[in-house]
Amino acid sequence: MSLLRLAIQKSGRLTDASRALISECGIELEQAGAKLRAPAFNFPLEVLFLRDDDAPGYCGDGVVDAAIVGRNVLMERGADAKVIRELGFGRCRLSIAVPKGFSYSSVASLNGLNIATSYPRILGEFLQRVGVRASIHEISGSVEVAPSLGLGEAICDLVSSGSTLLGNGLVEVETVMQSQAVLICNQALTAEKQAILDRLVFRIDAVLRARKTKYITLNAPDEAIPEIVRLLPGLKSPSVLPLAMPGWSSLHTVVGEDDFWGLIERLRAVGAEGILVLPIEKVIQ
Ligand code: ATP
Ligand code: ZN
């Protein structure tokens, strides 16, 4: 019987969220921790714990069938793998930053500089696209300290909040790419492995949809119901149930996370009371 081999990061920023996603898909791994691989008890899957840098190449070559990696690493490695889903975690951006005192007006200010980065390929493509001639100095870690060590006048590195840059006296001036964790797969899976991957992706979709939605229930006077229904799209349309108190109904529906608080305010304004908000575990469509 065939097994799908999925690579996740061994230890780093994507590890916990990758494990949580697998677990929320109802898949239990045999052991956590130090080993290279962990078969699943209850799904034809084997998880391999690798450095993120190795995952795209292994996936392209078929050493593993699928992997969870940052889009930034996939692009930098240039591996021949297919992106199946954006996973909504590991969000960051690859940005160019310069020391605080640097007078920066536009991307042309980068001409002639020495830029330190661990992402020479993505940076090189960006500089070419915007028509800047600068030299790229590849370093493997702690890029943010490079300018203070004299290893370049600017850097190109991953940023999420920007506090690390500020702490090192750097200012972000250009976004080179946006990134988040993605599920990738080998381009030539066997039909059996593809079928397992499809089952996995079906579960991942249910988990990701659920993360973006909440279940809400509220009470309202009957005359407010049409206006409330107008505010609530739901998966189809909301359920409306009569309450024991004459002239009042209870309404149940699913709402998205976007502008959630704005929606709650509008519902209250048109007469909704006793609003309950519940997390959703899975949304199957
Ligand atoms: P490995 O040991 O696997 O090579 P690493 O040190 O290269 O690990 P991490 O720092 O754990 O990698 O980052 C893994 C991924 O997390 C990054 O490639 C990126 O996609 C994502 N990420 C999200 N936010 C950030 C951030 N602020 N800085 C760096 N990476 C981030
Ligand atoms: Zn790495």
Side-chain angles (χ1 to χ4, degrees):
M1 201 192 67
S2 108
L3 276 185
L4 188 79
R5 300 179 108 193
L6 171 73
I8 67 170
Q9 196 185 13
K10 183 175 169 58
S11 113
R13 293 175 194 258
L14 302 182
T15 308
D16 290 349
S18 303
R19 284 180 161 279
L21 181 62
I22 293 168
S23 146
E24 283 174 53
C25 287
I27 298 172
E28 289 170 47
L29 301 181
E30 254 177 39
Q31 47 82 40
K35 295 232 178 90
L36 168 68
R37 58 172 74 178
F41 281 120
N42 53 356
F43 196 83
L45 180 79
E46 176 177 63
V47 174
L48 276 87
F49 303 100
L50 302 177
R51 287 203 54 196
D52 64 350
D53 312 71
D54 298 333
Y58 283 174
C59 190
D61 296 345
V63 176
V64 297
D65 304 309
I68 295 177
V69 284
R71 194 185 272 280
N72 52 301
V73 174
L74 175 66
M75 300 273 292
E76 183 61 28
R77 299 279 143 186
D80 180 24
K82 184 160 97 186
V83 174
I84 313 169
R85 288 291 184 276
E86 295 196 314
L87 299 173
F89 58 85
R91 284 181 198 274
C92 57
R93 54 194 185 274
L94 188 65
S95 288
I96 297 175
V98 296
K100 248 176 224 149
F102 189 100
S103 84
Y104 187 91
S105 49
S106 74
V107 76
S109 309
L110 299 170
N111 271 308
L113 297 188
N114 206 341
I115 309 177
T117 189
S118 316
Y119 292 87
R121 181 186 183 127
I122 302 176
L123 176 60
E125 284 168 7
F126 172 80
L127 294 176
Q128 196 168 28
R129 198 164 66 239
V130 297
V132 164
R133 283 176 170 272
S135 27
I136 297 175
H137 187 86
E138 182 176 356
I139 53 179
S140 56
S142 304
V143 174
E144 67 285 353
V145 300
S148 58
L149 299 176
L151 294 169
E153 298 93 41
I155 65 155
C156 173
D157 201 10
L158 294 175
V159 185
S160 44
S161 69
S163 56
T164 310
L165 288 184
L166 287 178
N168 284 283
L170 298 166
V171 186
E172 200 177 341
V173 290
E174 297 289 337
T175 303
V176 174
M177 77 172 283
Q178 297 283 346
S179 184
Q180 61 174 284
V182 289
L183 176 67
I184 60 173
C185 76
N186 178 266
Q187 302 270 17
L189 292 179
T190 61
E192 252 183 321
K193 291 197 178 211
Q194 183 65 50
I196 301 170
L197 181 63
D198 290 347
R199 286 177 63 204
L200 177 65
V201 171
F202 180 83
R203 295 187 186 192
I204 289 176
D205 283 345
V207 172
L208 296 182
R209 263 189 238 111
R211 286 183 182 173
K212 286 195 218 133
T213 50
K214 302 230 175 278
Y215 191 84
I216 71 170
T217 75
L218 56 86
N219 297 331
D222 288 342
E223 60 273 17
I225 295 291
E227 178 70 358
I228 290 175
V229 170
R230 211 180 50 75
L231 291 173
L232 293 172
L235 284 183
K236 282 223 166 60
S237 65
S239 321
V240 180
L241 310 164
L243 288 185
M245 189 190 298
W248 280 74
S249 294
S250 160
L251 196 142
H252 297 206
T253 196
V254 172
V255 299
E257 291 266 77
D258 298 344
D259 193 28
F260 173 76
W261 286 108
L263 174 66
I264 297 294
E265 285 162 14
R266 290 191 291 281
L267 290 172
R268 278 167 51 80
V270 298
E273 292 180 7
I275 303 174
L276 299 183
V277 181
L278 300 107
I280 293 180
E281 197 175 313
K282 308 280 184 303
V283 177
I284 316 288
Q285 275 180 340

